[in-house]
Amino acid sequence: MKKTVNLTASGKAELEQELAELVAQRPAIAERIATARAFGDLSENQEYTDARAEQKTVENRIIEIEEILKSAKIIRTSKSDKINVGSTVVIDMGGKEFTYILVGPVEANPLEGKISNESPIGKELLGRKTGDEFDFNGKKVKIKSLG
């Protein structure tokens, strides 16, 4: 059974951009392989080995992105008083303020403030409202605003 992948519209656009960039790399990698092959004995040809490894990595990522895009469901963000996938939320955790966007696991990147709805904090946030408070990993968390 095919699993549906939740993506925001911007997350889908980012994946499509990455896919286009990877596809554009194919001719250069093929050229590097052809050039390295011309050096002779492939068993001791590091340039050839490196180019083939890069080709494998790029092709695997292309396949991965294509599969994600095939099973993608775009998250429609709607104005709601409850936190859903696609919501932007500002929380106070232990006296520090954080702004997060709740996204699907494929799009998650905590360094960019994108947290998965399947992560521990994401699960805690789902369905809550502005003003709600809860404990998370021994810290008091308060939801300050929801956008």
Side-chain angles (χ1 to χ4, degrees):
M1 188 169 132
K2 199 180 247 186
K3 184 180 178 189
T4 301
V5 178
N6 290 320
L7 289 174
T8 61
S10 65
K12 182 178 183 230
E14 287 173 15
L15 282 175
E16 290 170 337
Q17 176 65 33
E18 182 182 353
L19 179 61
E21 290 169 5
L22 290 170
V23 168
Q25 289 178 22
R26 283 176 164 165
I29 294 170
E31 181 65 31
R32 283 184 49 215
I33 290 171
T35 301
R37 188 178 281 139
F39 292 152
D41 183 12
L42 299 181
S43 65
E44 295 181 17
N45 187 332
Q46 192 61 46
E47 289 85 4
Y48 177 79
T49 303
D50 291 347
R52 291 292 298 192
E54 182 181 1
Q55 181 184 44
K56 183 178 179 182
T57 301
V58 167
E59 292 302 322
N60 285 340
R61 182 63 180 151
I62 288 171
I63 291 167
E64 180 182 15
I65 292 172
E66 287 174 341
E67 287 302 313
I68 290 168
L69 292 174
K70 276 186 212 171
S71 59
K73 175 184 165 212
I74 302 302
I75 300 164
R76 304 280 180 228
T77 54
S78 59
K79 289 292 179 191
S80 171
D81 62 343
K82 291 186 178 180
I83 298 172
N84 294 303
V85 178
S87 296
T88 300
V89 60
V90 178
I91 63 171
D92 181 296
M93 185 184 304
K96 292 184 182 175
E97 194 171 285
F98 299 93
T99 302
Y100 293 120
I101 301 170
L102 207 59
V103 296
V106 169
E107 226 179 314
N109 185 341
L111 297 176
E112 293 179 2
K114 297 176 182 178
I115 57 171
S116 168
N117 63 313
E118 295 178 9
S119 69
I121 187 72
K123 287 178 184 177
E124 284 288 337
L125 290 169
L126 276 175
R128 294 191 184 265
K129 299 178 184 179
T130 301
D132 284 358
E133 293 184 19
F134 60 95
D135 286 322
F136 182 75
N137 288 344
K139 293 183 180 175
K140 200 62 126 171
V141 178
K142 181 175 182 175
I143 300 170
K144 296 183 83 172
S145 67
L146 173 62

